[in-house]
Structure formats: C-alpha cells, structure tokens
Amino acid sequence: MPQTLEYLKETPSQTAGPYVHIGLAPGAAGFQIYDQELGQDIAGPNAKGERIRVEGLVIDGTGSPVKDVLLEVWQANADGIYPHPEHAGHDTVEEGFRGWGRVITNFETGEWAFDTVKPGGLMGRNGQMMAPHINLWIVARGINVGLNTRLYFDDEAEANAADPVINVVEWEKRRETLIAKRSERDGQTVYRFDIRLQGDGETVFFDI
Amino acid sequence: MTNTPAKQGEFYQRDRRWHPPAYDKDYKTSVARSPKLSLISLENTPSEITGPRFGHGDLTPIDNDLLSNYAQPDQSPIGERIIVHGRVLDENARPVPNTLVEIWQANASGRYRHKKDTYLGAIDPNFGGCGRTMTDENGYYYFRTVKPGAYPWRNWVNDWRPAHIHVSVFGSGFAQRLITQLYFEGDPLVKTCPIVATIPDPDAIEQLIAKLDMNATIPLDTIAYKFDIVLRGRRSTLFENRLEGN
C-alpha cells in the first residue's frame, strides 16, 4: 500500500463574475443592506503620515478600461507596521487604522480611486528593507484567479532601487509597471496607477 | 504583544495546476483579461502573511440569514429554502477560526439584484442576495438562503450558468484570499458550463459541488447542503525562527 501525505487541496478559484459588488460592496450594486459596508475607510481618522489619493484604470488586452473590476488594497501604516498580531509592533498602530479597503470602479468610465495614507517601508525577508508599497488584489469577470500586484511610489526612487521584491523582476523595463506617478491636484497628493492586464506594458503580477 | 496566538509560518505554495489558468478561450471574457506574461513568484513577506481581521462587531447577527436580511417584515423570499453549512479548513485539515465568509447569488428566478443585471427573470422584493458571517472557533459557518436559479449569459449564444453561490473567504493572511463558487449536487448544467470547465481537473470540480445533507435539514422547513472550503496551508513557525518549517 502506498504511503500518503494526506494534505487537503485548496478549494479551486472561480471568477468573481460581473456582480461581485452584490456580495462585497452592495452599495455599488445599487442597494443598501448592511449597517456597515466593509472596506470603506482604509486608514481611519487617526492615521499619521501623508494623506494621499491613488487613482487609475484597469485596462484589458484590447486597451479598454475594465468597468466591473473590484480591487482590494492592503497596506502598512506610515511606520511600516501592519495592524495584525503577527507583525511586530502591531499594538502601536493607530486606532481605526485597518489598512485594508475595497475599491470599486465607476461603471461607466472604469476609473477608480481611493484615499489613504502613504505607508512606510518595512522589513522583508533576510533583513532586507522593502520600499513603501500597497498590496493589491484584483478580481473581476474573466479573471479566473485573483491577481496580486504591488504599488510602489515614484518619489521613493532610492528605496525602490533597493527593494528586494522589485528586484526579483528580472526585466528592468517591467519594473516601471509597479511604480505609481505622483502629482498634485488642488493641494492634494495624487498617485496615478494604471494596471494593464495584458499586452504592451502588462503589469507585473505576483504568485504570492 | 501579549495574548497573541503562537506565531504561524509561511503559506504553502499555491498549486496553480489545480486552479483554472488565466486564459481559457471557451470562457470568452478571460481572453482579453488574462495576463500573457508569467506571474513572478514571491516568497512570503509580512505583506502576504498578515491580512485584515474582522470582528463580530463588523457584522450584525442576521447578516448570514438571506431569508430575512432583506425581507419585509413577515415576508420571505420566493424559492426553495436552503441551509448552506460547512467548515473553513486549511490544507493541513486544521480549522480556520474567526474568518470572514461572504456570499452572493441570484434569486430563485436567476436574477441578481444588481443595477447591471438585465435578465428577464423577476426581481424578488424580499431577497437581497448577499450575506456574510464569521467562522466560529472551530471553523464552522452557515447561511440560510434560497436556492438560486440557473440563468443564461452571453458566452456562447446558449450558455446557462448552473445554480451557484459565489463565496469569498479571507483566511488569516493576504495570501489566503480566495473567491470561488459553490455548485449543487445533481445539477446537469455543471457539466456544460464554460466557467466550471476552466478548472482542469475533474476532482477539483467535484470539490466545488455542495452535497445534499439530509442530516442537517430541518424537517418541514429547510433543505441543507454541506460545503467545506479549504484555504492554503502554512508551516507552523515563522521563518525568522525556523527556516525549515516542520
């Protein structure tokens, strides 16, 4: 009789479909059902650090904006600490800072945006500092397994150059797809981050 | 740093051959939405090992009861009343406690309460179609709802989705995040659905089919289906301490 390892298999992924909003952001689907929708306030009112807006498009292989996508963001606070018990220092994170949010596109234009604070850098593997970044997870109709990527900031050039994750991307040309572009509008800091699912300038996606 | 649970280690590699590939020409929407270049493989960092946490304070007690969470007083949705229950486990068969499970679905006529759904099926005034709950300390969860209807969609001209419930699970780290769909035992449309067919292995498809569970039905009230969800396993200690795991 053969030996067996007897691990279970992960439940297979399926597409979130076009109506993901009903489950995860029902207000966007057009109805109110919960007292509190989850993921509406990423940083909370007490977060320290620079307040920023991040905006962009998700663009498909035909060059068209994807209008039914849902993104989730996950980030550390301005000190580079995740509000999670497995991250050292988590008890110093500001009250109300969840670091997590859900981002919905405009159904007509595909534009999305979220407000948060700029995260700090933090320690990665083997004592190597990671540059400030926001983790993104993208689901939509036609995406069979949610796509993971990272957003880095173009005003952190030195930290980005030393970032161990950016440097895993062998093709230097592709690293640009992970860098959001800073600008200012009406006194507010705005970072532009377009995500290309396919084709020229295809965004780097990670198997995490 | 007091009262924190024992640290857990890195997540196992995801078996991408068990999951659908990004590109599947027969699921037409995937054609333009699938990356052509390879994913870049990362080892876990705190960004992947940590993840958002939810408490019971984020939810209200009837959030998992789709029979009542959008119904008018003294009314119920139309359709077959069902219980969906099961456990969230990891690949080591350990329960995943206190994790958020969210579901959404069409109503009994196959229509979604979404401003973009234009199917002919009727909207049910007493059915919202979404619910959420937290697993208990042993990983158990349940919902009450109605069995969703099948509905047509534009893929091939005459494609119909089998009855299904979308399921979203968080797990304990960002790397465990998963969205999938629950299908129902005995549904003939499962075998014809291009979205189901994106999954390459027939055994993996079987894992998405909830089984009729007569022991969990409530006589004269509600039929039950059992659906266990497996998230990625993880080694038992953090990489700083024991690189070899166990």
Side-chain angles (χ1 to χ4, degrees):
Chain A
M1 192 183 81
Q3 301 291 326
T4 62
L5 287 171
E6 295 184 341
Y7 291 101
L8 302 178
K9 294 296 285 183
E10 186 185 10
T11 297
S13 174
Q14 290 276 261
T15 175
Y19 304 129
V20 59
H21 318 91
I22 294 173
L24 306 188
F31 66 107
Q32 302 300 323
I33 181 165
Y34 300 131
D35 296 340
Q36 185 198 351
E37 281 206 26
L38 301 176
Q40 303 302 298
D41 190 358
I42 297 168
N46 305 316
K48 50 196 163 186
E50 184 186 10
R51 294 273 164 181
I52 62 172
R53 165 163 285 212
V54 180
E55 60 186 29
L57 287 171
V58 177
I59 299 163
D60 73 13
T62 75
S64 309
V66 179
K67 299 174 180 175
D68 54 8
V69 73
L70 181 140
L71 300 100
E72 284 188 3
V73 307
W74 173 236
Q75 67 167 87
N77 74 357
D79 294 330
I81 299 172
Y82 286 103
H84 185 281
E86 290 179 54
H87 204 202
H90 68 92
D91 45 3
T92 68
V93 171
E94 307 89 317
E95 186 188 351
F97 180 91
R98 190 162 324 235
W100 169 79
R102 280 182 172 150
V103 184
I104 312 299
T105 52
N106 179 303
F107 290 155
E108 311 309 320
T109 66
E111 287 278 349
W112 52 263
F114 61 88
D115 295 309
T116 185
V117 295
K118 192 175 170 191
L122 69 149
M123 195 64 78
R125 298 176 68 87
N126 306 319
Q128 291 181 295
M129 281 295 289
M130 295 193 287
H133 64 276
I134 297 176
N135 309 284
L136 297 172
W137 186 68
I138 302 157
V139 292
R141 179 172 63 108
I143 294 178
N144 290 328
V145 186
L147 294 167
N148 289 93
T149 189
R150 287 186 176 195
L151 178 162
Y152 288 86
F153 300 90
D154 71 344
D155 52 325
E156 300 281 351
E158 196 175 324
N160 291 343
D163 181 86
V165 169
I166 292 178
N167 282 302
V168 166
V169 182
E170 177 186 350
W171 310 274
E172 291 180 26
K173 183 180 165 56
R174 295 200 68 205
R175 296 176 189 171
E176 300 161 12
T177 69
L178 301 175
I179 314 291
K181 305 280 188 301
R182 183 183 178 108
S183 65
E184 198 166 293
R185 187 195 310 140
D186 303 329
Q188 185 181 28
T189 301
V190 178
Y191 285 94
R192 181 78 192 182
F193 191 67
D194 290 331
I195 296 164
R196 288 183 169 73
L197 296 178
Q198 191 184 87
D200 283 347
E202 180 178 308
T203 298
V204 168
F205 298 106
F206 294 107
D207 182 17
I208 65 170
Chain B
M1 294 296 288
T2 54
N3 293 327
T4 51
K7 285 189 174 180
Q8 296 189 312
E10 295 181 58
F11 293 102
Y12 300 157
Q13 178 193 336
R14 175 165 274 161
D15 181 356
R16 295 271 171 185
R17 291 167 298 189
W18 185 250
H19 288 278
Y23 171 83
D24 186 316
K25 67 177 171 45
D26 292 332
Y27 173 28
K28 296 181 182 178
T29 312
S30 77
V31 170
R33 295 184 171 193
S34 46
K36 285 279 187 285
L37 298 170
S38 298
L39 302 178
I40 306 292
S41 298
L42 283 193
E43 295 166 285
N44 287 178
T45 74
S47 300
E48 291 77 41
I49 287 175
T50 62
R53 295 168 67 79
F54 303 91
H56 291 280
D58 292 320
L59 282 57
T60 52
I62 64 163
D63 283 357
N64 68 340
D65 185 9
L66 285 71
L67 294 180
S68 69
N69 69 8
Y70 199 76
Q72 303 296 314
D74 302 322
Q75 299 206 26
S76 306
I78 302 290
E80 188 179 326
R81 296 160 57 86
I82 64 170
I83 292 166
V84 172
H85 77 107
R87 293 181 91 181
V88 180
L89 304 166
D90 71 8
E91 288 171 300
N92 302 302
R94 292 187 289 227
V96 182
N98 306 313
T99 200
L100 182 67
V101 181
E102 296 164 287
I103 64 168
W104 67 100
Q105 63 170 94
N107 68 23
S109 75
R111 176 81 178 264
Y112 285 96
R113 182 175 292 279
H114 192 292
K115 57 188 179 188
K116 289 294 187 184
D117 189 359
T118 56
Y119 175 45
L120 299 170
I123 286 282
D124 183 338
N126 292 304
F127 191 68
C130 62
R132 54 192 190 181
T133 191
M134 306 276 300
T135 57
D136 71 12
E137 63 274 17
N138 296 310
Y140 286 98
Y141 77 92
Y142 73 92
F143 292 94
R144 289 205 314 168
T145 184
V146 295
K147 191 170 179 189
Y151 59 85
W153 59 301
R154 288 179 191 274
N155 188 63
W156 306 114
V157 172
N158 191 24
D159 275 340
W160 291 73
R161 296 288 345 262
H164 65 280
I165 298 176
H166 296 266
V167 182
S168 165
V169 193
F170 271 80
S172 56
F174 206 64
Q176 272 183 323
R177 193 77 179 84
L178 179 71
I179 282 181
T180 187
Q181 298 181 28
L182 170 164
Y183 304 100
F184 293 89
E185 180 178 11
D187 187 338
L189 292 171
V190 170
K191 287 197 164 40
T192 72
C193 176
I195 289 178
V196 175
T198 59
I199 299 173
D201 188 325
D203 289 341
I205 292 173
E206 282 297 316
Q207 198 177 346
L208 296 186
I209 300 175
K211 294 288 185 282
L212 177 67
D213 182 357
M214 290 304 289
N215 286 346
T217 64
I218 300 175
L220 307 179
D221 186 327
T222 323
I223 294 176
Y225 287 87
K226 182 166 180 286
F227 187 66
D228 287 338
I229 300 161
V230 181
L231 302 180
R232 292 166 66 180
R234 56 195 305 194
R235 295 185 260 283
S236 64
T237 51
L238 198 66
F239 52 83
E240 285 97 337
N241 306 340
R242 287 183 61 186
L243 284 161
E244 73 279 17
N246 74 344

